């Protein structure tokens, strides 16, 4: 068991880590020794590290995170509950599809964040306004991916289940749901990103708390290291959520796990 | 004597949206005896598979009807099971769970299901692969699963829609031999659709040549070769005579469709 073996085994995380460390090192080195920088407009990793420590030890950041998370969770959960059944019905019933498709396609394609002022106006600057914004942004990936998944269900498998005596409910459970699942997971991945954008935009626009507000506030007051902490924390959260989603998929669809590693 | 399966004057026309209707079957009549191995051969697109789907109960004929053991076929039923050309295995189910599908839909208790599925997996020679997923299997193994799944509900009639067409030639020979063994052991009635004259001649008691579209039974050929049959039998002059008879009947149909390319 030499170093080479270990490297081959963990090639992916090792190379990923090297590129990350490399980027930070180059950044720090450049702004320390190569280019003079104005701390009002730029910062460097060591300053960010100090700011991170301070913010993590304080309680303001944690409160902001809790507030943003609540809005995100409400909006996202509602998007799941509404989006998946709606997409499924659209995929299964042509009449529903034809009725709703133009409307949804237009909404999905348009930059919904432009509606943020209106949403905030109607639902207020608190939890509700932000949750509605998250919902609006996150629901369409669920609708369209579920719809596409249902539509692309293999007709042969439908025939197989019917041939063995399956009724309509058996088709849902044994064919349509499992074949749509990967599409839904892919939709969830998109929805996570869009939902985070929803929270942040809501808090940029009008709020006095939340991680989006914190980022905007630090920016406005030229506290760039602190601002970067907020941004980095958001990326980490997005990555963790996406990773959790992947693990979840492997648990509910183990056959795909084996397909992926092939 | 009333035949076990009797198709009388079956007509079926597909009417796809925005396209011309296609008459797939016209006046197809056929009788099959209990326990018989019957093959349907005909040019591609002649309606053989359509006929099988009517027998299965997934398609309804516009006219005519099919009786099985005196009862009219009006939908899928447990006395019939299909082996599909493209296998039709559920990719999210293991081999074991795929074989259990029909029994599950029939409401057979889990413990009995498991036991019977294991027996059948053994019968088709897949012991040890119970917990594999379809994508981990070769084509031949997938079709073994398809066969085990069809046998699992203990149907009287096995419908096979070009089951070996997607397999390579050697696997195909092997599967044919095993199918004959299983047929001999289980005494099912088999209706087998194929493109291959040789396959039809080797497996069947009778071969039905189906006309080019719209399909109907053109000629019935008795295969009077002794059973059990082995691979060497295919090298005998008698076997070649049978192939020639089928070919002569089929030739005109291929030519009439303009696809008589010697296949």
């Amino acid at each position: 068991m030499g170093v080479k073996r270990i490297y081959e085994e963990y090639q992916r995380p090792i190379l990923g880590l090297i590129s990350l460390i490399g980027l930070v090192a180059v950044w720090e080195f450049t702004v320390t020794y190569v280019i003079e920088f104005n701390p009002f407009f730029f910062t460097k990793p060591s300053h960010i590290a100090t700011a991170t420590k301070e913010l993590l030890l304080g309680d303001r950041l944690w409160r902001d995170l809790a507030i943003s998370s609540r809005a995100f969770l409400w909006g996202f959960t509602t998007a799941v509950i509404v989006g998946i059944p709606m997409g499924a019905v659209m995929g299964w019933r042509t009449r529903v599809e034809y009725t709703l498709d133009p409307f949804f396609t237009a909404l999905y394609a348009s930059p919904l964040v432009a509606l943020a002022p209106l949403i905030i106006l109607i639902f207020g600057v608190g939890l509700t306004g932000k949750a509605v914004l998250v919902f609006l942004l996150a629901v369409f990936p669920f609708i369209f991916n579920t719809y596409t998944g249902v539509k692309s269900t293999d007709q042969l498998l439908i025939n197989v289940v019917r041939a063995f005596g399956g009724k309509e409910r058996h088709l849902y459970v044994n064919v349509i749901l499992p074949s749509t699942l990967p599409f839904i997971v892919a939709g969830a991945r998109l929805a996570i990103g869009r939902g985070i954008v929803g929270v942040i935009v809501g808090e940029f626009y009008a709020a006095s708390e939340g991680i989006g507000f914190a980022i905007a506030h630090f920016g406005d007051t030229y506290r760039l290291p602190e601002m970067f902490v907020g941004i980095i924390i958001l990326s980490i959260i997005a990555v963790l959520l996406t990773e959790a989603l992947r693990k979840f998929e492997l648990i509910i669809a183990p056959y795909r796990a084996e397909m992926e590693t092939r | 004597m009333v035949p076990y399966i009797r198709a009388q004057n079956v007509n079926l026309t597909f009417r796809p949206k925005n396209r011309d209707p296609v008459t797939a079957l016209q006046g197809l009549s056929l009788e099959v005896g209990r326990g018989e191995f019957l093959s349907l051969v005909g040019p591609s697109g002649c309606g053989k598979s359509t006929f099988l789907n009517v027998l299965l109960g997934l398609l309804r004929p516009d006219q005519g009807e099919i009786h099985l053991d005196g009862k009219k076929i009006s939908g899928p039923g447990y006395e019939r099971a299909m082996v599909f050309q493209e296998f039709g295995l559920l990719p999210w189910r293991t081999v074991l769970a795929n074989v259990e599908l029909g029994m599950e839909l029939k409401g057979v208790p889990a413990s009995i299901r498991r036991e019977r599925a294991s027996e059948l997996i053994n019968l088709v020679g897949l012991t040890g692969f119970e917990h594999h997923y379809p994508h981990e299997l070769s084509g031949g193994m997938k079709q073994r699963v398809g066969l085990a799944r069809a046998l699992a509900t203990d149907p009287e009639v096995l419908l096979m829609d070009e089951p070996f067409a997607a397999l390579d030639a050697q696997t195909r020979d092997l599967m044919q031999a095993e199918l004959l063994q299983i047929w001999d052991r289980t005494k099912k009635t088999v209706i087998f659709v194929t493109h291959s004259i040789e396959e039809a001649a080797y497996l069947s008691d009778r071969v039905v040549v189906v006309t080019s579209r719209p399909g109907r039974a053109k000629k019935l050929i008795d295969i009077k070769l002794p059973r059990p049959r082995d691979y060497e039998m295919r090298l005998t002059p008698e076997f070649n005579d049978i192939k020639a008879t089928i070919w002569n009947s089929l030739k005109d149909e291929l030519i009439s469709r303009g696809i008589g390319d010697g296949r």
Side-chain angles (χ1 to χ4, degrees):
Chain A
M1 186 81 176
V3 177
K4 199 167 166 229
R5 273 284 298 280
I6 297 174
Y7 171 74
E8 272 162 12
E9 186 89 356
Y10 298 102
Q11 194 178 16
R12 200 188 165 107
I14 287 174
L15 290 182
L17 209 60
I18 287 176
S19 86
L20 210 62
I21 293 171
L23 175 79
V24 170
V26 169
W27 181 1
E28 180 78 29
F29 180 84
T30 313
V31 294
T32 309
Y33 300 107
V34 184
I35 315 166
E36 287 264 325
F37 79 98
N38 181 338
F40 276 118
F41 301 125
F42 207 59
T43 186
K44 60 179 184 176
S46 55
H47 292 180
I48 296 174
T50 317
T52 306
K53 203 178 136 200
E54 276 165 23
L55 286 175
L56 289 181
L57 289 175
D59 54 355
R60 177 71 212 240
L61 176 75
W62 298 106
R63 218 179 65 223
D64 282 335
L65 279 175
I67 281 170
S68 301
S69 305
R70 269 184 77 199
F72 178 82
L73 283 177
W74 275 108
F76 194 82
T77 311
T78 322
V80 171
I81 295 170
V82 173
I84 294 176
M86 191 151 251
V89 174
M90 269 178 79
W92 197 235
R93 297 272 174 244
T94 319
R95 227 176 282 169
V96 180
E97 176 193 350
Y98 291 167
T99 312
L100 296 179
D101 187 53
F103 178 60
F104 285 169
T105 303
L107 278 177
Y108 191 24
S110 37
L112 286 172
V113 286
L115 287 178
L118 180 68
I119 302 294
I120 303 291
L121 204 63
I122 298 173
F123 296 98
V125 294
L127 176 69
T128 319
K130 287 189 273 179
V132 170
L133 211 50
V134 172
F135 168 78
L136 269 185
L137 280 159
V139 74
F140 292 106
F142 280 112
I143 292 177
F144 279 100
N145 275 42
T146 309
Y147 160 80
T148 311
V150 170
K151 275 269 161 188
S152 57
T153 302
D154 191 346
Q155 186 61 39
L156 172 65
L157 299 183
I158 300 248
N159 279 345
V160 166
V161 171
R162 282 175 55 206
F164 282 102
K167 305 280 174 279
E168 183 152 327
R169 70 192 154 90
H170 298 120
L171 297 182
Y172 273 110
V173 177
N174 291 302
V175 185
I176 297 171
L177 180 69
S179 78
T180 305
L181 209 57
F183 288 85
I184 295 177
V185 170
R189 209 164 286 163
L190 287 172
I192 286 174
R194 287 170 63 103
I196 291 177
V197 168
V199 176
I200 301 306
V201 167
E203 290 172 348
F204 275 3
Y205 181 72
S208 53
E209 45 190 7
I211 187 78
F213 167 76
I215 291 173
H217 175 73
F218 290 134
D220 288 344
T221 51
Y222 299 101
R223 292 165 69 187
L224 291 204
E226 283 83 354
M227 193 187 91
F228 268 94
V229 175
I231 295 168
I232 290 166
I233 285 178
L234 280 182
S235 325
I236 291 173
I237 290 173
V239 169
L240 287 180
L241 285 177
T242 310
E243 233 2 68
L245 194 68
R246 216 171 62 88
K247 287 279 183 308
F248 175 69
E249 188 185 14
L250 297 189
I251 293 166
I252 53 173
Y255 76 101
R256 290 186 52 86
E258 290 174 40
M259 267 165 138
E260 269 176 34
T261 52
R262 248 136 218 279
Chain B
M1 200 192 86
V2 181
Y4 183 53
I5 297 173
R6 171 182 238 161
Q8 281 166 300
N9 204 20
V10 174
N11 288 3
L12 192 144
T13 302
F14 291 109
R15 299 172 205 284
K17 267 188 220 163
N18 310 326
R19 271 183 288 154
D20 292 335
V22 178
T23 302
L25 302 170
Q26 196 163 54
L28 194 149
S29 297
L30 191 64
E31 295 180 352
V32 188
R34 192 189 285 269
E36 189 178 7
F37 198 124
L38 180 99
S39 289
L40 302 170
V41 288
S44 20
C46 75
K48 326 182 274 292
S49 294
T50 305
F51 179 61
L52 223 49
N53 278 311
V54 174
L55 272 170
L56 187 60
L58 285 184
L59 290 175
R60 252 169 226 211
D62 299 323
Q63 260 179 50
E65 42 196 49
I66 304 179
H67 287 87
L68 190 151
D69 211 5
K71 289 186 289 283
K72 188 184 164 187
I73 291 176
S74 59
Y78 299 120
E79 72 287 345
R80 284 157 285 145
M82 174 93 112
V83 179
F84 294 83
Q85 180 182 357
E86 300 296 338
F87 318 129
L89 304 180
L90 303 179
W92 41 85
R93 283 185 175 229
T94 60
V95 167
L96 190 67
N98 262 296
V99 175
E100 285 184 30
L101 176 73
M103 293 186 280
E104 209 179 294
L105 295 170
K106 198 177 172 182
V108 177
S111 59
I112 300 175
R113 240 158 49 200
R114 186 116 320 173
E115 198 186 314
R116 170 121 185 101
S118 302
E119 271 172 40
L120 284 160
I121 288 168
N122 185 34
L123 180 74
V124 298
L126 280 182
T127 305
F129 291 93
E130 287 87 347
H131 301 290
H132 283 58
Y133 286 97
H135 69 91
E136 301 171 285
L137 306 178
S138 66
M141 291 161 91
K142 282 181 191 164
Q143 199 54 294
R144 284 162 199 267
V145 179
L147 184 59
R149 177 178 66 183
L151 290 168
T153 45
D154 201 20
E156 302 282 330
V157 183
L158 213 49
L159 305 170
M160 305 185 78
D161 187 7
E162 301 191 38
F164 308 144
L167 308 179
D168 65 80
Q170 280 164 21
T171 310
R172 195 173 178 154
D173 288 343
L174 195 68
M175 292 290 287
Q176 288 166 358
E178 289 189 23
L179 174 64
L180 280 185
Q181 279 177 17
I182 290 171
W183 173 71
D184 191 48
R185 247 186 288 174
T186 56
K187 307 287 177 207
K188 307 286 180 201
T189 307
V190 179
I191 300 181
F192 192 100
V193 162
T194 179
H195 270 112
S196 160
I197 293 172
E198 172 142 353
E199 186 169 72
Y202 176 55
L203 297 173
S204 316
D205 294 321
R206 274 192 308 157
V207 173
V208 181
V209 176
V210 181
T211 59
S212 65
R213 201 167 59 216
R216 66 189 160 70
K218 178 185 183 185
K219 190 177 168 76
L220 296 169
I221 298 153
D222 279 312
I223 313 292
K224 294 201 183 78
L225 294 170
R227 291 190 190 266
R229 297 179 186 165
D230 53 24
Y231 191 83
E232 279 66 36
M233 196 171 273
R234 301 186 188 203
L235 311 172
T236 60
E238 291 86 347
F239 191 77
N240 277 323
D241 290 346
I242 290 166
K243 274 167 67 181
T245 312
I246 301 173
W247 168 243
N248 283 327
S249 176
L250 190 58
K251 195 168 55 183
D252 303 334
E253 299 306 319
L254 296 177
I255 290 164
S256 79
R257 291 219 55 203
I259 52 170
D261 54 3
R263 270 200 299 168

